[in-house]
Amino acid sequence: GHIDHFRVPCLIDTGATHSFIDLSVVRRLHNALITNAHEQFTLADGSTTINIVGTITLSLRVRHITTTISALIAKSLS
């Protein structure tokens, strides 16, 4: 997919309740409006946690389809 003219590898799960983006990707975006948030999510495996540092609204383009999403910014997704 593409975010802000950057090609970004992504996993699209249309049934997911939340969207996540890695902080390292957000730092490459220009004029990104970030809202601070400090939360921790536990993933479906019951033990993996993700630390959230904010939220961002993104325009995501996959092939010829563009959509706007709200994503939680994770310190690390790996």
Side-chain angles (χ1 to χ4, degrees):
H2 287 82
I3 300 173
D4 231 14
H5 305 292
F6 290 104
R7 185 176 171 95
V8 179
C10 59
L11 170 69
I12 298 174
D13 181 351
T14 59
T17 58
H18 295 85
S19 296
F20 298 94
I21 187 167
D22 196 281
L23 181 59
S24 64
V25 175
V26 172
R27 287 183 175 151
R28 295 174 29 199
L29 303 177
H30 302 289
N31 301 319
L33 181 58
I34 299 169
T35 303
N36 289 329
H38 297 283
E39 298 179 60
Q40 190 174 65
F41 279 78
T42 302
L43 299 184
D45 67 4
S47 61
T48 304
T49 58
I50 296 178
N51 292 314
I52 302 302
V53 296
T55 61
I56 187 170
T57 300
L58 302 167
S59 181
L60 174 65
R61 188 182 83 225
V62 178
R63 295 193 181 180
H64 65 281
I65 299 171
T66 301
T67 189
T68 301
I69 65 166
S70 177
L72 298 166
I73 304 168
K75 277 188 176 181
S76 176
L77 289 176
S78 54

